[in-house]
Amino acid sequence: MAKIVVDGTEIDVPAEYTLLQACEAAGVEIPRFCFHERLSIAGNCRMCLVEVKGGPPKPTASCAMAVKDLRPGPNGEPPVVLTKSPMVKKAREGVMEFLLINHPLDCPICDQGGECDLQDQAMAYGVDTSRFAENKRAVEDKYIGPLIRTSMTRCIHCTRCVRFTTEVAGVAEMGAIGRGEDSEITTYLEKALTSEMQGNVADLCPVGALTHKPYAFHARPWELIKTESIDVMDAVGSNIRVDTRGREVMRILPRINDAVNEEWISDKSRYVWDGLKTQRLDRPYVRKDGRFVPASWNEAFALIAEKVRAANPKRVGAIVGDLASTEEVFAMKTLLGKLGSSSIDCRQDSAALDPALGRATYIFNPSISGIEEADAILLVGADPRHEASVVNARIRKRWRTGELRVGLIGPQVDLTYSYDYLGAGPESLAALTGQGSFADALRQAERPMVIVGQGALTRADGEAVLSLAAQVAVATGAIKEDWNGFAVLHTAAARVGALDVGAVPGKDGLNVKAMTAPNGLDVAFLMGADEVDVAPGAFVVYLGTHGDRGAHRADVILPGAAYTEKSGLYVNTEGRVQFANRAAFPPGEAREDWAVLRALSEVLGQTLPFDNLAGLRAALVTAHPHFARIDVIEPADAAAIEALAQVGGKTDSAPFAPAIEDFFLTNPIARASAVMAECSSLRSSAAAEAAE
């Protein structure tokens, strides 16, 4: 630690701190435009100037000078930094005057208004007149894709967007062209960005040069009600803020959580909000003569009760979708149990995961933040760039330190970082239990990780592949006393929570394949399950939000609430329990899923033992106590991994297939989004051009 005096306050800070960080530690706010804690230092805006006593007789950029670079006083006194001296004030006012010389006066029509760093700093350091009489510089707007709107005349060349796309997203498609007054920020040949995280550049932009195109001219920040929630577009559980006006979701922004998503979210998480208001189910429907007709709740419930009473309880089952909260899954499992059925399955993709094998066999044991401790990672049938973009950014962050080696078994894809390609299928995985270059690298690593993706688990031999991956983890030392490097990367937000409550077939229960097969069920409940095809013959009850595949197959449609319209618990891929708040209300007659199940249970004569969400949550916590520990990862017994390694089984030689075919269209909300459809079409066109 080093001593430093900031505005008369002596503090101890690490010698590696920049002066800006030291001032922040002393409680002094330093204005900045180009500096960002998660990006490299550029030092090109000069707004963070401070005065260093004993240093050069001019202001110093506090972001670019470290505490260890300062000289002590003549008698060994700690270095002195001044942030409010006349020199500093005059220097910052001069910088601000230069920044505003060419900046257009279009705050009233700028989407950044009210959230603009330049506005805020101009209040403190701006002047009321301009000495600049020449013509202002104008820059043509650039096309960089369907998600980011550009007004490049506003750009102050802080290069945050360039550094983000290059360093964090790993897609070096933005840069500066020209020199001096003619320099401009643009993409290569003005093509659309191909990153799955490009929306973050609009958050980083300190002025209005880059804004969110789907949100353009929709609302002002002071009109919006802000609600903290959890994203369900993947299994990362990114922390988000949902901004609403009235009953309508206007935008979705990230919240800082260093343990999960830092301050980034994927484009699907950010821009899917327009899908929340299109193709919505807003009232019950029943199928009559092959066509859906509107019905009352009582009519729909009466028809369901008639079919359930006529069916053998063993031939009644439920399939849980990927976006369900844990409470409603628990309610559905409880209702089926009262009806005498154990046919429930949350694995609509037939992934070979079983809670009976132990919790450690289906969660991301080393945790997402644990990636930054890993020094060797093996990816098995996983494409984290498209399955969990934020996790991929974390892997890249560790890879950039030069202390991480990555190996991949599965489809050869661009992960934004280099890796050793080891093969395409289980045979390449089996080879790692013996000797080999990457096998030796895993053994020699202090913190090795084996990440198993859904592309390896949704096959017929998924259980054998999972066991083989556990064998590799045990053989290479990924399971240690202080480290569990066996990780399952999920793609469904509801999956871990549903596995935790045991939403898998019980004794004599049917799994997804059996329930969807011909003559499988008499009555099938689909809880937002839109990725399965139920064979003709079954009476299908669909409880969901959108007119997607599940609703098209249904005989009765019950409108439910989307993730922004209900309070609920979600468990992310690492087993972290997180709480999502309700930001809006469901449309029309739609209701929260647990409330629909509670009302239906009464009509079925098997009333569920709770009357409100608090009662349901209390019953859930009583049955599974770890759900009471919010934002905590319940430790899992690593002995389950060693037991899993003993399961064995015969593997197929077929290569692993991708778990996600189209990043932008993975669930009903995304498929209802016009923005996601445009992104998907653009990605398909680019892939076709590349193939030619």
Side-chain angles (χ1 to χ4, degrees):
M1 302 290 280
K3 287 189 182 299
I4 183 173
V5 178
V6 179
D7 290 344
T9 302
E10 184 176 305
I11 58 169
D12 291 315
V13 295
E16 295 75 24
Y17 265 26
T18 63
L19 297 187
L20 189 149
Q21 291 172 310
C23 292
E24 296 276 346
V28 178
E29 183 179 351
I30 302 294
R32 84 290 300 268
F33 293 118
C34 68
F35 177 81
H36 192 276
E37 291 81 357
R38 303 185 198 278
L39 303 176
S40 62
I41 294 172
N44 45 359
C45 79
R46 318 310 284 182
M47 196 65 204
C48 64
L49 295 173
V50 296
E51 181 181 355
V52 179
K53 276 197 172 181
K58 61 179 181 178
T60 300
S62 60
C63 70
M65 177 172 281
V67 172
K68 62 183 179 183
D69 296 329
L70 299 182
R71 294 176 299 175
N75 299 314
E77 302 96 336
V80 175
V81 175
L82 302 176
T83 68
K84 297 180 174 67
S85 67
M87 176 199 286
V88 172
K89 187 174 186 297
K90 183 178 180 181
R92 290 177 182 173
E93 288 175 350
V95 170
M96 177 60 67
E97 188 174 8
F98 273 118
L99 289 176
L100 294 178
I101 277 176
N102 285 311
H103 197 82
L105 301 177
D106 56 0
C107 297
I109 62 164
C110 177
D111 272 316
Q112 199 85 339
E115 300 172 317
C116 178
D117 291 351
L118 188 62
Q119 272 186 339
D120 295 341
Q121 299 305 332
M123 287 293 293
Y125 301 103
V127 292
D128 57 355
T129 57
S130 174
R131 293 181 286 172
F132 191 75
E134 289 77 15
N135 292 328
K136 289 195 174 222
R137 185 183 83 133
V139 182
E140 287 188 9
D141 295 343
K142 309 293 189 294
Y143 173 77
I144 62 174
L147 302 179
I148 302 298
R149 182 176 182 270
T150 62
S151 299
M152 300 313 291
T153 301
R154 302 172 185 158
C155 180
I156 62 170
H157 302 147
C158 71
T159 68
R160 279 188 183 182
C161 55
V162 176
R163 285 174 284 150
F164 173 82
T165 53
T166 304
E167 298 166 10
V168 179
V171 180
E173 294 174 340
M174 292 192 77
I177 60 172
R179 300 180 67 182
E181 189 182 26
D182 296 323
S183 64
E184 300 178 15
I185 302 293
T186 182
T187 59
Y188 180 67
L189 296 182
E190 292 195 30
K191 288 193 173 183
L193 293 171
T194 59
S195 170
E196 294 75 24
M197 300 179 67
Q198 60 184 278
N200 292 289
V201 301
D203 290 345
L204 289 171
C205 185
V207 295
L210 304 178
T211 55
H212 303 289
K213 189 177 286 188
Y215 172 71
F217 308 124
H218 275 54
R220 285 300 198 180
W222 53 85
E223 302 174 327
L224 305 177
I225 296 174
K226 302 164 180 64
T227 307
E228 296 183 351
S229 191
I230 302 299
D231 173 56
V232 299
M233 292 298 110
D234 53 31
V236 177
S238 298
N239 288 218
I240 59 173
R241 194 188 82 194
V242 182
D243 289 358
T244 56
R245 185 174 61 188
R247 299 174 66 97
E248 188 177 357
V249 175
M250 302 303 296
R251 64 177 179 180
I252 295 174
L253 299 174
R255 285 189 293 128
I256 297 177
N257 186 329
D258 287 330
V260 183
N261 59 303
E262 298 185 292
E263 60 184 270
W264 320 123
I265 55 173
S266 72
D267 293 337
K268 184 166 55 176
S269 302
R270 184 188 297 273
Y271 296 113
V272 79
W273 52 265
D274 69 315
L276 292 167
K277 51 192 174 186
T278 53
Q279 299 183 25
R280 287 300 300 269
L281 302 173
D282 59 357
R283 63 181 304 171
Y285 291 89
V286 297
R287 190 185 294 274
K288 290 183 179 179
D289 302 323
R291 299 185 65 182
F292 283 117
V293 296
S296 68
W297 282 103
N298 289 336
E299 290 171 342
F301 285 166
L303 180 57
I304 296 169
E306 176 189 333
K307 295 295 183 180
V308 170
R309 291 191 185 106
N312 182 338
K314 303 293 184 186
R315 293 175 60 81
V316 177
I319 301 173
V320 177
D322 293 343
L323 308 183
S325 70
T326 309
E327 291 96 336
E328 58 209 42
V329 178
F330 181 74
M332 175 58 84
K333 184 174 185 288
T334 305
L335 177 59
L336 282 180
K338 283 179 166 289
L339 294 173
S341 172
S342 60
S343 296
I344 183 171
D345 204 340
C346 63
R347 307 161 301 184
Q348 60 175 334
D349 55 5
S350 299
L353 297 166
D354 189 349
L357 296 172
R359 194 168 191 256
T361 65
Y362 62 83
I363 66 171
F364 202 95
N365 290 287
S367 78
I368 294 172
S369 59
I371 291 171
E372 297 191 29
E373 299 178 35
D375 40 10
I377 293 180
L378 172 65
L379 299 171
V380 182
D383 175 8
R385 179 174 177 182
H386 297 99
E387 296 169 23
S389 303
V390 174
V391 170
N392 195 65
R394 185 84 73 151
I395 296 175
R396 176 177 167 78
K397 178 181 178 182
R398 176 61 174 166
W399 172 82
R400 290 184 67 238
T401 66
E403 299 175 6
L404 177 67
R405 185 174 175 185
V406 182
L408 173 66
I409 298 176
Q412 232 175 326
V413 291
D414 178 10
L415 294 178
T416 71
Y417 44 83
S418 60
Y419 57 82
D420 297 328
Y421 186 64
L422 307 175
E427 293 176 352
S428 303
L429 179 60
L432 291 177
T433 57
Q435 300 297 316
S437 173
F438 199 80
D440 293 341
L442 286 173
R443 286 189 180 87
Q444 293 164 10
E446 292 185 16
R447 294 279 192 272
M449 286 177 61
V450 177
I451 300 178
V452 186
Q454 300 304 299
L457 302 178
T458 55
R459 306 152 39 109
D461 62 346
E463 186 177 39
V465 172
L466 184 64
S467 177
L468 184 56
Q471 291 176 32
V472 172
V474 172
T476 56
I479 311 298
K480 302 177 182 178
E481 185 176 341
D482 60 342
W483 176 257
N484 184 346
F486 184 81
V488 176
L489 183 63
H490 289 273
T491 56
R495 187 69 51 84
V496 176
L499 290 171
D500 280 351
V501 300
V504 294
K507 186 179 180 182
D508 301 326
L510 305 178
N511 61 18
V512 163
K513 285 187 177 179
M515 284 191 276
T516 56
N519 200 34
L521 291 177
D522 290 339
V523 179
F525 289 91
L526 302 183
M527 281 192 65
D530 292 273
E531 319 304 325
V532 294
D533 293 310
V534 181
F539 181 82
V540 176
V541 179
Y542 178 77
L543 172 56
T545 59
H546 287 72
D548 209 76
R549 287 169 56 186
H552 291 170
R553 171 61 185 87
D555 295 289
V556 175
I557 294 175
L558 304 177
Y563 71 106
T564 57
E565 299 159 359
K566 60 189 175 187
S567 297
L569 297 174
Y570 290 92
V571 187
N572 73 349
T573 190
E574 59 183 351
R576 183 187 301 273
V577 180
Q578 299 189 102
F579 185 75
N581 286 299
R582 180 174 62 191
F585 289 89
E589 298 179 36
R591 296 292 181 268
E592 294 181 44
D593 299 44
W594 72 266
V596 174
L597 294 174
R598 169 62 178 80
L600 176 60
S601 71
E602 199 166 334
V603 177
L604 293 174
Q606 301 291 344
T607 305
L608 291 172
F610 45 80
D611 296 321
N612 50 46
L613 184 57
L616 168 56
R617 199 165 284 150
L620 171 64
V621 170
T622 300
H624 307 279
H626 71 277
F627 279 100
R629 295 184 276 278
I630 304 298
D631 203 30
V632 172
I633 302 175
E634 188 72 10
D637 187 1
I641 310 296
E642 297 174 356
L644 175 63
Q646 303 300 319
V647 171
K650 185 178 181 181
T651 58
D652 192 351
S653 60
F656 297 134
I660 292 178
E661 294 293 338
D662 191 328
F663 169 76
F664 296 104
L665 304 176
T666 55
N667 60 62
I669 302 175
R671 288 191 285 269
S673 166
V675 176
M676 293 296 100
E678 185 178 0
C679 291
S680 174
S681 175
L682 189 67
R683 180 71 60 91
S684 300
S685 301
E689 286 181 19
E692 291 175 1

